[in-house]
Amino acid sequence: MKIGFIGLGNMGAPMAANLAAAGHTVTGFDLVADTPEGVAKADTVIAAAAGQDAVITMLPNGEILQSVAGDIVAEMTKGAAFIDCSTVDVESARVVAEAATALGLHAVDAPVSGGIGGAAAGTLTFMAGGSEEAFALAEPLFDIMGQKAVHCGDSGAGQAAKICNNMILGITMLGTCEAFALADKLGLDRQKMFDVVSTSSGYSWSMNAYCPAPGVGPESPADNNYKPGFAAELMLKDLRLSQQAAVSANADTPMGQHATDLYATFVEEEDGEGKDFSAMLPRLEGRGRG
Ligand code: NAD
């Protein structure tokens, strides 16, 4: 296939490189980032999008996505797939899909989980929203860039799944960290705490696969001085998207709101930017109730 790839940052560059390595003809565009090996460089966003069978975007936020989509949808070939893999607000995903569909394109919102490591290894999970036909066009590309793709429903459903998943992740990571901090103060050994909880009803991905306590459980960013991993500011971005969606859908999400507030304080006032999101444990362990 002829594929245009817009947004060649930490995630987009390895995803585009994997598509090229699989034999597709990939043309990339980014405002600043270099084009990865195997990917041709376009001078403008329109040059990257025109005449392609599929265009994939991997951009920072919904505002930028809407602006890029505004520039390219009218230039794309009718019947082509417009696949946005960025994490954005549900509303932006729907607005972009509507504009693309009105011009005869097949739109899919397909945010990912798996991080930079998953992008490089081609093991991402895609959560997709759009018509059956649009998903069918995108699926072979998801198979190259990832190991699993779930068709979640109509436009916006992929973004909805992503932010609900990451709201749970933020909340469970905070719960796991504060339980470790409490266990410390109760004199409970962290390894014993892990041995019990990881096989009891308090288990979760945060505890079992990404344990925030150094030296305990499988290797995780905690064992690497909390170098991300999944940076606290990216968790904050996703939590804020969850609360934006909750407000527009009139959903009561008190735990999600509290997790958002805690990560905002950590990132914006306590030097948490650039640290893994599991660094909430060292933040909490030094504190008392005051
Ligand atoms: P990044 O900042 O490394 O890359 C974004 C790229 O988009 C940059 O290279 C930037 O120059 C480019 N860009 C910005 N505006 C542009 C425009 N108008 N035209 C062309 N290019 C433009 O970010 P990333 O880590 O690659 O993340 C991309 C998306 O994936 C985000 O929505 C993020 O939330 C999501 N995501 C990231 C991770 C992760 O671990 N990094 C995991 C899952 C999802």
Side-chain angles (χ1 to χ4, degrees):
M1 277 172 81
K2 287 196 296 170
I3 300 169
F5 206 114
I6 298 164
L8 301 166
N10 290 319
M11 297 292 289
M15 291 164 71
N18 283 338
L19 291 170
H24 292 293
T25 304
V26 185
T27 304
F29 176 77
D30 193 292
L31 288 179
V32 287
D34 283 339
T35 309
E37 198 173 322
V39 175
K41 188 179 168 65
D43 290 332
T44 64
V45 73
I46 290 173
Q52 309 288 6
D53 302 312
V55 171
I56 302 176
T57 46
M58 195 51 169
L59 295 162
N61 59 47
E63 202 180 322
I64 294 174
L65 170 68
Q66 289 204 42
S67 148
V68 166
D71 287 342
I72 64 172
V73 283
E75 313 291 333
M76 286 175 60
T77 309
K78 221 173 167 176
F82 184 124
I83 306 163
D84 175 49
C85 295
S86 330
T87 303
V88 302
D89 55 290
V90 176
E91 185 58 26
S92 289
R94 291 189 175 143
V95 165
V96 164
E98 205 169 300
T101 308
L103 288 164
L105 304 173
H106 297 289
V108 187
D109 55 288
V112 302
S113 116
I116 299 166
T123 56
L124 295 169
T125 296
F126 290 84
M127 302 149 235
S131 68
E132 291 289 347
E133 206 181 351
F135 181 74
L137 279 176
E139 202 174 15
L141 305 182
F142 296 153
D143 288 344
I144 294 166
M145 298 183 286
Q147 61 184 357
K148 190 174 168 68
V150 179
H151 188 194
C152 300
D154 292 338
S155 293
Q159 298 295 349
K162 166 88 186 174
I163 56 174
C164 288
N165 179 74
N166 280 23
M167 187 174 82
I168 295 171
L169 177 61
I171 293 167
T172 55
M173 179 55 81
L174 281 165
T176 304
C177 290
E178 70 181 27
F180 267 117
L182 171 61
D184 287 348
K185 294 206 172 176
L186 296 175
L188 179 61
D189 179 72
R190 285 183 168 183
Q191 182 63 51
K192 301 293 180 202
M193 163 89 172
F194 176 83
D195 291 347
V196 171
V197 175
S198 65
T199 54
S200 299
S201 47
Y203 85 90
S204 67
W205 185 87
S206 296
M207 174 61 85
N208 291 38
Y210 205 91
C211 183
V216 176
E219 176 128 3
S220 69
D223 300 305
N224 194 18
N225 205 19
Y226 295 98
K227 190 166 165 271
F230 186 49
E233 61 270 24
L234 291 179
M235 174 48 79
L236 176 59
K237 171 191 169 179
D238 292 357
L239 283 167
R240 281 187 165 144
L241 289 175
S242 76
Q243 294 318 291
Q244 188 181 336
V247 168
S248 67
N250 190 27
D252 190 19
T253 54
M255 302 294 286
Q257 184 60 56
H258 198 46
T260 309
D261 295 343
L262 282 166
Y263 275 103
T265 304
F266 184 51
V267 168
E268 290 165 1
E269 295 168 29
E270 297 174 346
D271 214 20
E273 188 169 348
K275 294 192 181 129
D276 190 74
F277 84 119
S278 61
M280 276 292 176
L281 175 52
R283 175 191 184 271
L284 289 165
E285 75 190 20
R287 303 164 79 97
R289 290 190 76 78

